[in-house]
Amino acid sequence: MNASDDTATSDALLASILTQLNDDKAEDIVQIDLRGKTAIGDYMVVCTGRSTRQVSSIAEKLAQMVKDDYGRTPKVEGKDTGDWVLIDTGDVIVHVFRPEVREFYQLEKMWMTTEAPAVMPH
């Protein structure tokens, strides 16, 4: 598999994830291209669920879809509390928040900056 195959796979996975989130009524879905910024993944998706129950449900359905459709078992953290659930599929990292928790952490603002990171003098 070459780099263009990897990109096609991560793009297809991203499209499936966005469709699943829309189907499950996730709100304020933001996708962030991480390629060239970090090695943790190709994309990050941040979205909101209206309640702890919906946040957990969105995460559970998403993890199952990735397993069924892509043969990957994503790492899921935070599903039991339902305030902030992280689903790491490898290529795409998904954060599902309750509204208040998302507002508090403002995670997407940190990753959406277009400026180069500051270099500290020696």
Side-chain angles (χ1 to χ4, degrees):
M1 187 181 268
N2 62 37
S4 64
D5 290 339
D6 289 344
T7 301
T9 301
S10 64
D11 288 347
L13 179 58
L14 175 65
S16 295
I17 287 170
L18 294 173
T19 298
Q20 183 71 43
L21 292 173
N22 276 311
D23 290 350
D24 290 336
K25 309 289 189 251
E27 299 175 348
D28 300 321
I29 301 168
V30 175
Q31 74 180 59
I32 303 165
D33 190 339
L34 298 178
R35 295 171 296 180
K37 294 181 183 178
T38 180
I40 64 171
D42 291 340
Y43 298 100
M44 180 180 295
V45 177
V46 181
C47 66
T48 303
R50 290 182 303 279
S51 66
T52 56
R53 177 176 276 176
Q54 187 189 24
V55 167
S56 295
S57 176
I58 288 169
E60 191 172 307
K61 288 180 180 181
L62 185 61
Q64 190 63 50
M65 181 277 296
V66 171
K67 186 175 181 180
D68 293 345
D69 294 357
Y70 292 88
R72 300 181 185 188
T73 302
K75 296 176 185 146
V76 179
E77 296 184 27
K79 190 170 71 79
D80 293 339
T81 58
D83 286 333
W84 174 4
V85 182
L86 176 127
I87 305 102
D88 184 352
T89 70
D91 294 331
V92 182
I93 299 160
V94 182
H95 298 272
V96 186
F97 288 98
R98 276 191 316 102
E100 305 82 23
V101 180
R102 183 175 180 176
E103 178 63 30
F104 179 79
Y105 286 103
Q106 298 185 7
L107 188 63
E108 61 263 43
K109 286 185 180 179
M110 177 174 61
W111 287 100
M112 290 178 74
T113 181
T114 55
E115 297 176 22
V119 177
M120 298 298 292
H122 299 288

